[in-house]
Amino acid sequence: MSVFLQIDPNPNCDPLDGMVFQPRTPPRPVAQLRYERNGVAAWCDVTAVDEGPAWTPAQAVIVDDSGDGACYLVY
């Protein structure tokens, strides 16, 4: 099943027009991501927000990255 990702305008980030991704793996829940900023790495909690808003676990799938290989899409 395709993943359609669209980010509406909000105070946390800029909007993103709808994009469609084709997962290569089944989705799996994730609770943290390793994030690096200014040379400092840290594990950060992540979650997802559905309509409502309703808090749900974030999901991760492997997708093709514009022909450059594969990457994780966390949504």
Side-chain angles (χ1 to χ4, degrees), residues 17-38:
D17 289 336
M19 298 177 72
V20 178
F21 296 91
Q22 299 300 325
R24 294 176 39 188
T25 61
R28 64 182 181 135
V30 293
Q32 291 187 322
L33 295 175
R34 185 174 181 271
Y35 181 74
E36 186 174 322
R37 185 174 186 181
N38 298 325

Side-chain angles (χ1 to χ4, degrees), residues 33-74:
L33 295 175
R34 185 174 181 271
Y35 181 74
E36 186 174 322
R37 185 174 186 181
N38 298 325
V40 178
W43 285 96
C44 301
D45 295 336
V46 294
T47 190
V49 182
D50 283 337
E51 301 256 352
W55 298 98
T56 62
Q59 302 290 311
V61 293
I62 295 177
V63 296
D64 288 321
D65 185 17
S66 302
D68 291 336
C71 64
Y72 281 98
L73 171 66
V74 177

